[in-house]
């Protein structure tokens, strides 16, 4: 009983250590990003056909915090993934360690791709569609805070959602899930993805469709990648069994 309590305490201490390291990296990245936040701001607004307005002196500070936070999150993702890998590493075999650590760059790349998809593809489509609804009947007036809140809603969630395939592959390699379970629960996953698409987009049907289609494709690609990992694991187990039987 004492040994179990000691191991439990060690696990909590290790987890606390990994969380603290991740938070420190995030805070340092946030400070560094805030130092150069004006450069990021000018890049984001330089091609806008309209001027952004401020309703109060604190609005621009809030916008700067938004931008710096996104940059800090992006910079922290590889570190957070590596710390998570270090936490579970003692429970992995040497081969599993080599395989799972390869997922860390994938998490970062897919996060960037998700944000890029939201910023370069989805955001302009939705913004142009919503502006076209006014049909010159209204005066366009964008506040800086509202504009960047809308921009974040169209980009940041996709940075997270685009990581689904890598997370699914990682969990499959650890034996936590398998592709057949994902297929069995497909209808529940579709319902959840529809709900997420409605939650993160403006209240119009076109935006929901533009968001849910790539989410469904991501889920289906996750199943295919999970099958690839699962079948490779099964072949490895069969080869080991054949070796044992021959001995």
């Amino acid at each position: 009983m004492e040994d179990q309590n000691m191991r439990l305490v060690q696990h909590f201490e290790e987890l606390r250590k990994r969380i603290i390291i991740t938070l420190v990296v995030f805070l340092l990245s946030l400070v560094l990003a805030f130092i150069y936040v004006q450069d990021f701001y000018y890049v984001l607004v330089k091609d806008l056909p309209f001027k952004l307005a401020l309703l109060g002196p604190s609005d621009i500070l809030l916008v700067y915090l938004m931008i710096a936070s996104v940059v800090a999150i992006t910079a922290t993702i590889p570190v957070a993934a590596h710390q998570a890998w270090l936490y579970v590493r003692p429970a992995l075999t040497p081969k599993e360690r080599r395989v799972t650590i390869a997922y860390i760059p994938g998490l970062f790349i897919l996060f960037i791709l998700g944000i890029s998809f939201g910023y370069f593809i989805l955001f302009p489509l939705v913004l142009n569609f919503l502006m076209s609804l006014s049909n010159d009947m209204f005066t366009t007036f964008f506040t800086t805070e509202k504009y960047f809140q809308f921009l974040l809603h169209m980009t940041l969630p996709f940075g997270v959602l685009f990581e689904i395939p890598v997370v699914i592959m990682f969990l499959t390699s650890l034996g936590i899930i398998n592709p057949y379970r994902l297929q069995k629960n497909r209808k529940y996953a579709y319902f959840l993805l529809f709900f997420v698409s409605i939650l993160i987009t403006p209240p119009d049907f076109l935006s929901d469709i533009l968001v849910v289609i790539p989410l469904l494709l991501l889920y289906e690609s996750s199943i295919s990648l999970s099958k690839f990992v699962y079948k490779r694991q099964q072949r490895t187990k069969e080869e080991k069994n054949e070796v044992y039987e021959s001995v």
Side-chain angles (χ1 to χ4, degrees), residues 181-223:
R181 188 180 302 171
L182 294 174
Q183 288 177 331
K184 184 179 179 180
N185 296 322
R186 179 183 275 121
K187 58 182 179 180
Y188 303 109
Y190 278 18
F191 174 79
L192 180 61
L193 293 175
F194 272 107
F195 177 76
V196 169
S197 68
I198 295 172
L199 191 64
I200 66 177
T201 56
D204 65 89
F205 182 73
L206 177 62
S207 300
D208 297 337
I209 295 299
L210 290 173
V211 169
V212 77
I213 289 176
L215 294 185
L216 296 180
L217 293 175
L218 279 174
Y219 186 78
E220 292 301 324
S221 64
S222 299
I223 294 177

Side-chain angles (χ1 to χ4, degrees), residues 26-27 29-38 40-41 44 58-73 144-145 148-149 152 156:
F26 172 76
L27 292 175
S29 301
L30 183 64
V31 171
L32 186 62
F34 200 82
I35 294 173
Y36 297 98
V37 70
Q38 287 189 353
F40 294 116
Y41 177 84
L44 293 173
S58 62
D59 286 0
I60 192 62
L61 178 62
L62 180 60
V63 170
Y64 282 174
L65 283 174
M66 289 182 191
I67 298 173
S69 296
V70 174
V71 175
I73 290 172
T144 306
E145 180 184 355
F148 276 93
Q149 283 180 350
L152 289 183
L156 189 58

